[in-house]
């Protein structure tokens, strides 16, 4: 008798990772074993589930349909297995977290280290990605994002009260181009511009004067979606960059960068942990919530959603 579930774990791993090699690593088997499992499953189902080239693996239409049907069922199975942790009294298994790259060193690293010390039975996997991530579709248990980048139907636990951003340039650039004194001066400067991964648009800098928002489309011939590269380019004298303070602390202290227009900058929403409401009773999620609450130094409170300042674009804090 054929096992109806045979091959489905392998199918889900390939669908989530979009790679036979990555799926094999996650499952602890060889890529050849993964390929054979998928071939047997396709033969049994009578349809091709993946389109495969030397560079890309993608779901076919039947494969996508199967993935969408299996996803909630597998989530229920995982929840049921996770609930067994209640009987052991300790969270265990694999906890998968997605977070923006900028949060890796100053936020995610100490948070994960604290969790590992408190819950050594728990395996933790972290993916750093600035783009919007569908937790359920991508197989993540929880995410960390800025408050205004989280969907309304998610449970949110605050980690930081606010985020702060600065406009910076190197001493050499400012000596050559001059130091801007007002937002209007920015049109005579060169910006290292950011393309927002969530929307694909190039961010127009938003400042504030006397309580009113000022939007400046600073000219510039460099566009990137990576904040680390923006900082490096600013240090190299390529122009001004609008970046989060956590990314420039060392460069400011070492005087590779200097802030400008500080009087016109505002604080943005803080970072928060978020996850689907249906999963919050899992032992590993409760452990994560408790760690975040301890990490923040106060009881968890709902994070109010900060409205975006315009309808046609999002600030870099929502990227």
């Amino acid at each position: 008798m054929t096992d109806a579930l045979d091959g489905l774990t392998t199918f889900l791993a390939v669908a989530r990772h979009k790679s036979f090699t990555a799926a094999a690593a996650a499952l602890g088997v060889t890529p050849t074993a993964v390929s054979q499992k998928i071939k047997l499953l396709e033969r049994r189902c009578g349809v091709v589930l993946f389109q495969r080239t030397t560079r890309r693996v993608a779901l076919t239409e039947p494969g996508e349909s199967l993935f969408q049907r299996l996803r909630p069922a597998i989530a229920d199975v995982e929840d049921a297995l996770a609930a067994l942790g209640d009987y052991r009294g300790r969270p265990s298994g694999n906890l998968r977290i997605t977070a923006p790259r900028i949060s890796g060193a100053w936020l995610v690293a100490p948070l994960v280290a604290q969790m590992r010390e408190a819950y050594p039975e728990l395996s933790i996997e972290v993916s750093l990605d600035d783009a919007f991530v569908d937790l359920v579709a991508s197989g993540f248990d929880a995410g960390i994002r800025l408050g205004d980048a989280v969907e309304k139907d998610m449970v949110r636990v605050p980690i930081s009260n606010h985020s702060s951003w600065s406009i910076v340039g190197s001493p050499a650039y400012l000596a050559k181009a001059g130091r801007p004194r007002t937002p209007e001066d920015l049109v005579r400067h060169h910006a290292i511009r950011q393309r927002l991964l969530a929307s694909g648009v190039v961010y127009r800098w938003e400042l504030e004067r006397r309580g009113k928002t000022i939007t400046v489309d600073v000219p510039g011939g460099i566009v990137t979606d990576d904040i680390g590269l923006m900082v490096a380019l600013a240090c190299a004298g390529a122009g001004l960059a609008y970046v989060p303070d956590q990314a420039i602390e060392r460069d400011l202290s070492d005087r590779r960068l200097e802030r400008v227009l500080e009087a016109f900058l505002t604080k943005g929403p803080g970072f928060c942990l978020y996850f689907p409401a249906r999963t919050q009773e899992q032992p590993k999620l409760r452990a994560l919530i408790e760690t975040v609450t301890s990490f923040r130094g106060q009881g968890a409170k709902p994070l109010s959603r900060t409205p975006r300042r315009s309808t046609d674009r999002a600030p870099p804090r929502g990227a």
Side-chain angles (χ1 to χ4, degrees), residues 102 165-168 231 243-254 257 259:
I102 189 60
W165 295 65
S166 294
I167 298 174
V168 294
V231 173
V243 291
D245 285 350
Q246 293 89 352
I248 55 174
E249 289 179 353
R250 182 173 298 178
D251 296 305
L252 289 172
S253 64
D254 292 343
L257 292 174
R259 289 189 176 97

Side-chain angles (χ1 to χ4, degrees), residues 77-95:
V77 171
E78 291 175 344
D79 288 350
L81 293 174
L84 295 176
D86 291 335
Y87 295 98
R88 295 191 300 269
R90 298 284 293 177
S92 61
N94 188 38
L95 176 67

Side-chain angles (χ1 to χ4, degrees), residues 63-287:
E64 181 65 30
S65 175
L66 178 62
F67 182 53
Q68 295 300 330
R69 294 287 298 274
L70 285 177
R71 198 169 60 185
I74 293 300
D76 286 340
V77 171
E78 291 175 344
D79 288 350
L81 293 174
L84 295 176
D86 291 335
Y87 295 98
R88 295 191 300 269
R90 298 284 293 177
S92 61
N94 188 38
L95 176 67
R96 301 188 72 229
I97 304 171
T98 173
R101 283 172 284 185
I102 189 60
S103 69
W106 72 273
L107 174 58
V108 178
L111 183 65
V112 168
Q114 188 171 324
M115 277 211 72
R116 278 291 298 165
E117 183 176 358
Y119 307 102
E121 303 92 341
L122 194 60
S123 174
I124 303 172
E125 179 180 345
V126 179
S127 172
L128 297 181
D129 191 341
D130 290 335
F132 170 77
V133 176
D134 185 323
L135 295 184
V136 178
S138 302
F140 288 101
D141 297 293
I144 294 173
R145 288 292 186 276
L146 290 165
D148 64 350
V150 177
E151 293 179 308
K152 292 181 180 179
D153 60 349
M154 291 286 168
V155 176
R156 288 181 276 183
V157 178
I159 301 174
S160 61
N161 292 324
H162 60 259
S163 59
S164 54
W165 295 65
S166 294
I167 298 174
V168 294
S170 70
Y173 172 82
L174 294 173
K176 179 182 177 180
R179 183 179 293 270
R181 304 295 179 183
T182 69
E184 289 75 17
D185 292 341
L186 289 171
V187 298
R188 294 187 290 275
H189 281 264
H190 296 287
I192 301 160
R193 310 178 76 193
Q194 181 186 8
R195 187 174 299 281
L196 305 180
L197 290 172
S199 62
V201 303
V202 175
Y203 174 61
R204 297 167 64 187
W205 294 3
E206 290 176 285
L207 307 175
E208 188 173 283
R209 178 163 51 199
R210 293 188 290 275
K212 293 185 178 180
T213 300
I214 306 165
T215 302
V216 185
D217 192 9
V218 188
I222 302 174
V223 180
T224 179
D225 61 9
D226 185 82
I227 290 174
L229 179 57
M230 293 173 67
V231 173
L233 287 166
C235 289
L240 299 177
Y242 191 0
V243 291
D245 285 350
Q246 293 89 352
I248 55 174
E249 289 179 353
R250 182 173 298 178
D251 296 305
L252 289 172
S253 64
D254 292 343
R255 299 186 177 181
R256 287 188 291 268
L257 292 174
E258 297 178 11
R259 289 189 176 97
V260 297
L261 298 176
E262 292 182 71
F264 299 93
L265 298 172
T266 61
K267 294 188 182 299
F271 282 91
C272 68
L273 175 75
Y274 70 100
F275 46 85
R278 59 187 292 275
T279 66
Q280 60 186 317
E281 292 306 316
Q282 291 184 16
K284 61 182 178 181
L285 257 297
R286 292 204 303 271

